[in-house]
C-alpha cells in the first residue's frame, strides 16, 4: 500500500531531524518541508498540509523551549497530534443500536465501491449479531440489483430491489418498510452513483434521504481519486447529511491521502477501510493506531 510509503517518508524526515546534533530552526524547517512534500505526494489537500505545518511551528517554538526540553520528542509528538487531528473530525459517527431499526444510506460515485461496501458493512455487522438487510435503490446502473443480490445471497443477507420499478425513492421506501416489518435492525440502502458529480445525482440523493430518513449517511470514496477527494466529499456533504466516510481500495496503488482530505471536507470520521474485493477485506478504522502505524 502506498500509504506505507507516506509513513516511511514521514518517519525518515523525523529520523533525520533526530539525528541532527542541534535542533535549530533550519533542522525543523527541513523536517517539515520533507513531511509536507510526502503528504502532498500522497494527495493530501494543499491547505490541510499548509495548516498542519503552520500549527507545528506554532507548537514547537524553539526559542521559547528552555534547555533540557526534549525538542525531538516535542516535534515528534506535534507531528503525531497534527496527523491525528486531520483524521479526527472531533465528533464520533452516529452509534447504531442493536435491536432498534436503523437505516443507513450509502452514497458515492459509480465505481467507488459502494455496492461492494454495502455488503461488507452488512456482513461485518451480521457477524456481530445484528440483523442486517440490503435495499438496492440504484436504478441507474444496469446490473446493480443483480450485483447486490449476488453479494447478499453469498452472505445470506436478505435483500430488496426491483427489475421493473424505475423510481429509486419508491424502492428505497418500500425496502425500508419491508425490513422494518421483518424486525431487521440494520437496513442498508444502496443508492445510484454517476461517473461524475452531477446535479441529477445529488437531487436523487436528497430525495432518497428525505423519504427514508436515514439515521446515518455513509459516503464511500475510492482512495485512488487523489486531490479530487476534497471537492468530491464536500459536494456530497452539501447535498446530504454525511455522517461517516468509508475509504475503499486501500489495498491498491492508492496514495491514501484522499482519506485525510475527505475527513476534512465532510467533518465526519472514517469508520472503515476497504482492503480488497472480498467480503471480509474490510477493517474498522481507528485514528490513533492508524497514525502510529503510519509513523512506524
Ligand atoms: P459502485 O459502482 O460504487 O457500486 O462500485 P462496486 O461496488 O461495483 O465496485 C467497483 C469495483 O471496485 C468492483 O470491481 C469491486 O470489486 C471493486 N472494489 C470495491 N471495493 C474494493 C476494495 O476495497 N479493494 C479493491 N481492490 N477493490 C474493490
Amino acid at each position: 500500500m502506498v500509504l506505507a510509503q507516506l509513513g516511511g517518508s514521514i518517519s525518515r524526515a523525523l529520523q533525520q531531524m533526530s539525528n541532527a546534533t542541534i535542533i535549530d530552526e533550519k533542522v525543523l524547517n527541513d523536517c517539515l518541508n520533507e513531511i509536507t512534500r510526502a503528504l502532498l505526494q500522497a494527495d493530501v489537500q494543499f491547505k490541510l498540509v499548509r495548516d498542519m505545518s503552520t500549527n507545528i511551528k506554532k507548537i514547537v517554538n524553539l526559542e521559547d523551549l528552555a534547555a533540557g526540553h526534549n525538542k525531538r520528542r516535542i516535534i515528534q509528538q506535534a507531528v503525531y497530534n497534527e496527523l491525528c487531528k486531520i483524521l479526527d473530525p472531533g465528533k464520533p459517527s452516529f452509534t447504531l443500536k442493536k435491536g432498534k431499526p436503523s437505516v443507513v444510506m450509502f452514497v458515492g460515485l459509480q465505481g467507488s465501491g459502494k455496492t461492494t461496501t454495502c455488503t461488507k458493512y452488512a456482513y461485518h455487522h451480521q457477524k456481530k449479531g445484528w440483523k442486517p438487510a440490503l435495499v438496492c435503490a440504484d436504478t441507474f446502473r444496469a446490473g446493480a440489483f443483480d450485483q447486490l443480490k449476488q453479494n447478499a445471497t453469498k452472505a445470506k443477507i436478505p435483500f430488496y430491489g426491483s427489475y421493473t420499478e424505475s423510481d429509486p425513492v419508491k424502492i428505497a421506501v418500500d425496502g425500508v418498510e419491508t425490513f422494518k416489518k421483518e424486525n431487521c435492525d440494520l437496513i442498508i440502502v444502496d443508492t445510484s452513483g454517476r461517473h461524475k458529480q452531477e446535479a441529477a445525482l445529488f437531487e436523487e440523493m436528497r430525495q432518497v434521504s428525505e423519504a427514508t430518513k436515514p439515521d446515518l449517511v455513509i459516503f464511500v470514496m475510492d482512495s485512488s481519486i487523489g486531490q479530487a477527494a476534497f471537492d468530491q466529499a464536500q459536494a456530497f456533504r452539501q447535498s446530504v447529511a454525511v455522517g461517516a466516510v468509508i475509504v475503499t481500495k486501500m489495498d491498491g496503488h492508492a496514495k491514501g491521502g484522499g482519506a485525510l482530505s475527505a475527513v476534512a471536507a465532510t467533518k465526519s470520521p472514517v469508520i472503515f477501510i476497504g482492503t480488497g474485493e472480498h467480503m471480509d477485506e474490510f477493517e474498522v478504522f481507528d485514528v490513533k493506531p492508524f497514525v502510529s502505524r503510519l509513523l512506524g
Side-chain angles (χ1 to χ4, degrees):
M1 173 186 345
V2 185
L3 256 190
Q5 279 173 17
L6 168 64
S9 304
I10 297 177
S11 302
R12 254 192 318 280
L14 288 171
Q15 192 57 48
Q16 267 165 17
M17 178 273 298
S18 262
N19 290 344
T21 330
I22 299 168
I23 300 196
D24 56 13
E25 212 67 39
K26 179 174 181 316
V27 172
L28 175 62
N29 280 337
D30 285 350
C31 173
L32 290 180
N33 286 343
E34 273 306 307
I35 292 175
T36 299
R37 208 182 345 258
L39 288 167
L40 289 175
Q41 269 172 10
D43 287 330
V44 183
Q45 196 210 20
F46 176 73
K47 186 181 173 304
L48 283 179
V49 178
R50 194 191 52 201
D51 290 352
M52 174 179 170
S53 184
T54 311
N55 288 345
I56 294 173
K57 277 190 194 157
K58 258 190 231 152
I59 295 162
V60 187
N61 192 338
L62 291 174
E63 276 177 23
D64 291 350
L65 282 181
H69 265 115
N70 188 339
K71 292 177 186 168
R72 292 171 177 80
R73 186 86 206 98
I74 291 170
I75 295 171
Q76 276 161 351
Q77 192 62 45
V79 171
Y80 172 84
N81 287 347
E82 284 301 311
L83 282 173
C84 287
K85 224 164 78 184
I86 297 181
L87 278 165
D88 182 356
K91 65 161 196 210
S93 135
F94 172 79
T95 320
L96 306 165
K97 287 196 189 71
K98 219 184 262 181
K100 173 187 170 290
S102 293
V103 176
V104 179
M105 176 177 161
F106 277 65
V107 299
L109 288 189
Q110 191 164 320
S112 60
K114 203 163 14 79
T115 303
T116 310
T117 305
C118 282
T119 322
K120 285 177 171 181
Y121 184 81
Y123 182 65
H124 171 90
H125 284 87
Q126 189 187 48
K127 281 192 299 187
K128 291 187 177 301
W130 294 71
K131 233 185 123 191
L134 289 158
V135 179
C136 176
D138 180 354
T139 51
F140 186 79
R141 178 162 65 94
F145 181 37
D146 275 332
Q147 185 190 348
L148 180 123
K149 199 165 141 180
Q150 208 176 31
N151 290 348
T153 308
K154 216 193 274 173
K156 298 192 173 60
I157 293 165
F159 58 89
Y160 183 92
S162 169
Y163 288 111
T164 50
E165 177 58 63
S166 60
D167 179 2
V169 177
K170 180 158 181 14
I171 299 180
V173 169
D174 289 351
V176 167
E177 300 233 310
T178 303
F179 291 128
K180 274 188 178 166
K181 277 188 208 133
E182 291 179 15
N183 294 324
C184 292
D185 53 7
L186 184 60
I187 305 166
I188 298 162
V189 181
D190 186 14
T191 60
S192 300
R194 297 286 191 279
H195 287 301
K196 294 193 311 254
Q197 293 151 230
E198 286 172 24
L201 168 64
F202 293 128
E203 183 49 32
E204 188 174 317
M205 299 295 92
R206 253 193 301 271
Q207 287 179 11
V208 174
S209 168
E210 221 170 271
T212 56
K213 306 220 170 352
D215 297 279
L216 174 65
V217 177
I218 299 180
F219 169 59
V220 177
M221 195 193 78
D222 180 336
S223 58
S224 63
I225 63 165
Q227 285 288 345
F230 189 89
D231 288 346
Q232 189 187 110
Q234 199 169 45
F236 273 94
R237 180 173 183 258
Q238 279 161 0
S239 304
V240 279
V242 171
V245 179
I246 295 181
V247 185
T248 61
K249 309 185 194 178
M250 290 290 269
D251 51 308
H253 297 294
K255 296 176 181 173
L260 281 72
S261 306
V263 172
T266 58
K267 299 189 174 55
S268 308
V270 175
I271 51 171
F272 290 95
I273 54 173
T275 55
E277 297 200 350
H278 295 116
M279 205 117 62
D280 53 358
E281 288 172 321
F282 195 56
E283 294 175 17
V284 172
F285 183 85
D286 269 329
V287 175
K288 283 182 178 155
F290 177 80
V291 175
S292 298
R293 220 167 54 194
L294 192 66
L295 297 182

